[in-house]
Amino acid sequence: MAPLSLPPFSSSAMDGFALQGVSGRAGTSLTVVGESLAGHPYAGTLSAGECIRITTGAPVPDGADTVIIQENCERDGKAVTLMASVETGANIRQPGHDVHKGETVCSRGRPLSPFAIGWLAACGITDVDVVERPRVAIFSTGDELAAPGEPLTDGQIYDANRFAVMALLEGLPVRVTDLGILPDDPARIEQALSDAARTHELILTSGGVSVGDADYVRDIVQRLGRIELWRLNLKPGKPLAFGTVGTSLFIGLPGNPVSTIVTCLLVAKPLILRLAGAEPSAPRYHRARLMERIEHTAGREEFQRGVIQRQETTTWVHVSGDQSSNRLATFSGADCLIRIPKTAGDLAEGSEVDVLPLYGLSDAF
Ligand code: AMP
Ligand code: MG
């Protein structure tokens, strides 16, 4: 709640001269009796026929109710002649123009954005109650994974997901613990998940939640806690698992890097914001027209990586090449996700689609 009105006093919106509105006709000459500069108010009271020099943000003195901009005045020593008429009350910011004392500045459930922080500071507020940033544990899983920087042995690939997920969470109100790579070893996975659950509000893993022989993660979560949901009607991202381990929530992101990234943005991010105290909010889609046909079989909602192109008043979008869920290259040059509704069949060139801009998608606001 604002402890004071902003501005706290009647102030000038422009650089010029403060006067009494009744004398604001073109051709009138007034005597300059002083000045009110930002931070240095004029202490006196204006009388008829008088004006003061005033700058933007400076207090309007008693007796004055109008400011005329300096461009509309001619000054000669102590005399100012108005070259244009000015309406009474012009160029004055009334107290409370920005916020009135007692009004809400920031409300529960909203992120403490840079804009909110600026407004809180403007109100002189130094302390606010906030929800603590949730602690999020991040694992990659898979015997085939090596950390970037290590040599690759036969059959190994580098762990991409942990780094992508950590980077995606950077703009969010979280405290991340990087817990490295877990091998496809049930005992090791069980131990690591139960340890992490004790000190985190959310565990994010990638890989090991599909139907392969070495996909142990889901069974282990089921044993340690509960699997509430497995498999989304979503492409990419179908094998996602959601559940609990002790008091911690658990999301098993799919292993294919594109699936990991897309579900991290569409599923993990909203959950993290909820844990951080935010009210739920719908994704902010924009509308765009397809520059090319997209083939789609009705039945599953799909998100393809796309490139937006603005032409005059129309926003166009095209896909960023082969959309296989292992190809991180689909993000190269992409700046949005194109949503293909579950019920849609093939989408014709020129048809309208929803797009989610990728940049900003991993921010809290
Ligand atoms: P999974 O569901 O564990 O079988 O993983 C599906 C695919 O994603 C496999 O080809 C994995 O090698 C690959 N994959 C899993 N985790 C990662 C990771 N952290 N970085 C890169 N690729 C991964
Ligand atoms: Mg695996």
Side-chain angles (χ1 to χ4, degrees):
M1 216 154 34
L4 78 179
S5 290
L6 284 184
F9 43 82
S10 162
S11 68
S12 179
M14 303 295 274
D15 293 330
F17 295 89
L19 56 129
Q20 295 185 344
V22 288
S23 42
R25 260 167 295 108
T28 308
S29 278
L30 301 168
T31 308
V32 183
V33 295
E35 60 182 19
S36 177
L37 308 179
H40 303 280
Y42 176 71
T45 301
L46 274 200
S47 306
E50 293 179 346
C51 69
I52 59 155
R53 171 81 180 123
I54 196 161
T55 57
T56 307
V60 176
D62 289 344
D65 57 10
T66 304
V67 169
I68 184 165
I69 59 173
Q70 63 194 30
E71 291 83 347
N72 287 346
C73 299
E74 262 182 27
R75 183 169 185 174
D76 183 10
K78 291 259 174 226
V80 159
T81 305
L82 311 192
M83 307 311 289
S85 295
V86 60
E87 265 183 47
T88 299
N91 302 314
I92 300 232
R93 295 173 186 153
Q94 298 300 338
H97 177 236
D98 195 1
V99 66
H100 285 284
K101 180 176 176 172
E103 269 178 6
T104 302
V105 177
C106 235
S107 44
R108 184 188 289 266
R110 302 278 311 144
L112 203 50
S113 67
F115 324 110
I117 287 172
W119 211 19
L120 288 167
C123 290
I125 293 171
T126 54
D127 296 289
V128 282
D129 290 333
V130 293
V131 175
E132 237 186 312
R133 292 165 180 253
R135 293 164 297 177
V136 181
I138 298 178
F139 294 101
S140 287
T141 73
D143 279 346
E144 75 279 31
L145 300 180
E150 287 173 4
L152 285 183
T153 57
D154 198 21
Q156 279 195 313
I157 57 168
Y158 284 121
D159 173 11
N161 293 344
R162 205 159 32 101
F163 301 94
V165 168
M166 287 194 292
L168 288 172
L169 301 193
E170 229 154 60
L172 300 181
V174 282
R175 288 172 286 166
V176 165
T177 317
D178 175 3
L179 290 169
I181 299 167
L182 284 173
D184 293 320
D185 171 344
R188 294 270 304 275
I189 297 172
E190 183 164 340
Q191 187 65 50
L193 294 186
S194 59
D195 286 348
R198 271 183 235 116
T199 46
H200 297 85
E201 282 72 48
L202 174 64
I203 299 170
L204 287 181
T205 61
S206 67
V209 287
S210 195
V211 290
D213 294 341
D215 290 341
Y216 302 117
V217 176
R218 194 164 35 89
D219 284 348
I220 291 164
V221 171
Q222 185 70 281
R223 198 156 60 237
L224 290 173
R226 246 174 97 93
I227 288 288
E228 303 280 353
L229 173 160
W230 177 49
R231 292 208 281 214
L232 299 176
N233 197 16
L234 177 69
K235 182 182 179 183
K238 184 174 172 192
L240 182 136
F242 171 72
T244 54
V245 177
T247 56
S248 174
L249 297 177
F250 162 82
I251 298 180
L253 301 169
N256 274 309
V258 173
S259 315
T260 309
I261 291 172
V262 169
T263 51
C264 183
L265 290 172
L266 298 181
V267 181
K269 175 195 162 184
L271 180 70
I272 285 170
L273 291 180
R274 284 291 275 164
L275 288 173
E279 294 292 337
S281 61
R284 294 197 193 138
Y285 289 110
H286 296 248
R287 296 294 278 171
R289 276 185 191 284
L290 282 179
M291 295 173 80
E292 62 192 331
R293 173 188 168 81
I294 293 184
E295 291 188 356
H296 185 251
T297 311
R300 190 143 68 117
E301 187 176 30
E302 183 173 353
F303 286 85
Q304 297 201 358
R305 275 64 64 214
V307 183
I308 290 174
Q309 281 185 14
R310 292 209 173 74
Q311 262 174 29
E312 289 166 14
T313 55
T314 308
T315 305
W316 292 93
V317 67
H318 65 84
V319 296
S320 60
D322 173 357
Q323 295 285 310
S324 306
S325 61
N326 60 315
R327 283 190 84 233
L328 279 168
T330 59
F331 282 103
S332 167
D335 54 13
C336 70
L337 296 177
I338 305 170
R339 188 176 83 92
I340 303 154
K342 184 172 80 174
T343 51
D346 293 346
L347 298 178
E349 179 186 333
S351 54
E352 279 212 333
V353 285
D354 284 335
V355 296
L356 266 183
L358 279 174
Y359 296 95
L361 195 53
S362 57
D363 293 341
F365 25 82

